[in-house]
Every structure is written in structure tokens, then in C-alpha cells.
Amino acid sequence: MADLLENSITLPSEAASVSMARRHVTAALAEWALPAESDALDTIRLIVSELTTNAVQHTFGQSPTFTVTLLLERDEELRIGVTDSHPRWPQRLPAAVRQDNGRGMVIVRSLTAHSGGRLTVTPTPDGGKTVWIALPWQPSGAGPADPG
């Protein structure tokens, strides 16, 4: 059975919390031996930025906090979850829609697929949801597998 490492942080749903979440994730992954200069870390930081921005912007003040959870099954996968208490789940935008915002989940889905991962959304007991990203983890500790 693989070892499971877990790390989480709960932050207020405000814009400044996005960078705090990104820094927290970066520090946790450094403790788990992900090199600071890796492309994998850049991908993970962007995913965390987009998911936490969504938790701040699209809960319309109905989720006073959000939680970022990291789960690492050594030699298997890294799971990143962002939980808020707003009941609305992420929506897919039609490809033809042109707008300045609302593309966060498109970016997250693309980065996740490119990294060989998967995206799921699960309900929480309080009526909210957690958006989960699961990424393959290389046994060397180098982070998500590089598909290219």
C-alpha cells in the first residue's frame, strides 16, 4: 500500500487568498521533494490559481472560505482539491462564447488532460462541492508525469 501524505489550508474567499494558496501548495510540494524549477510545479501552481480564483469569484459571497487539499499517494498520484460551500458546480462554456473571463476551467481541464490526469467534482455534506484534480506522480519524486 502506498504512503499517503496530506496537507490542507482553509482561507477566506478573497482575492489575496489566491496567492496565499499558491504559496502554500508550493511549500508543501517542496517538502514532498518536487523541484522548485520543474514544469510540473508551474502546472500545479496554475491549476491552483485557477481553481482558487473560481472559488473566490464564482461563489458570489456565499462561501466565506475555501479549502485547498493536497493528497499524495507516493509513487501513484497527486490529488488537488479545492472545496467551497457554494452549491453551483463549474459549468462548461460553449466553444463559440467569447468573453474576458470564465475560461479558468477550460485552462484547468486542458492542463490536467495534458498532464495525463483527470478532473472530478464531488458534493460536500454542506451542499457545496470539491473540484478534484488527480495527476500521475513519478516515483522519482519529480512530480506529475511529463506526457511529452
Side-chain angles (χ1 to χ4, degrees):
M1 181 175 194
D3 293 335
L4 179 68
L5 298 175
E6 183 173 357
N7 187 302
S8 66
I9 187 170
T10 299
L11 296 166
S13 291
E14 31 188 74
S17 294
V18 173
S19 61
M20 292 170 60
R22 204 172 38 244
R23 283 192 303 272
H24 180 83
V25 167
T26 299
L29 294 176
E31 287 180 19
W32 296 348
L34 182 62
E37 66 281 350
S38 70
D39 289 341
L41 184 56
D42 290 341
T43 297
I44 292 165
R45 279 194 292 241
L46 183 51
I47 288 171
V48 168
S49 289
E50 293 298 336
L51 292 178
T52 57
T53 297
N54 283 353
V56 170
Q57 290 184 343
H58 299 297
T59 59
F60 307 106
Q62 295 180 28
S63 181
T65 63
F66 65 88
T67 300
V68 178
T69 303
L70 299 172
L71 301 171
L72 176 60
E73 291 183 55
R74 290 197 189 264
D75 302 342
E76 292 183 28
E77 74 178 6
L78 172 68
R79 296 187 71 211
I80 305 161
V82 176
T83 304
D84 65 60
S85 58
H86 192 277
R88 183 172 171 229
W89 287 28
Q91 305 294 310
R92 283 195 184 264
L93 293 176
V97 172
R98 295 192 189 271
Q99 60 188 51
D100 292 336
N101 61 11
R103 297 285 182 208
M105 289 306 294
V106 172
I107 293 168
V108 169
R109 282 186 179 94
S110 176
L111 290 170
T112 301
H114 181 74
S115 298
R118 66 189 184 284
L119 180 146
T120 57
V121 182
T122 58
T124 60
D126 68 355
K129 78 278 185 190
T130 302
V131 178
W132 286 104
I133 303 298
L135 301 171
W137 190 264
Q138 294 179 353
S140 67
D146 182 3

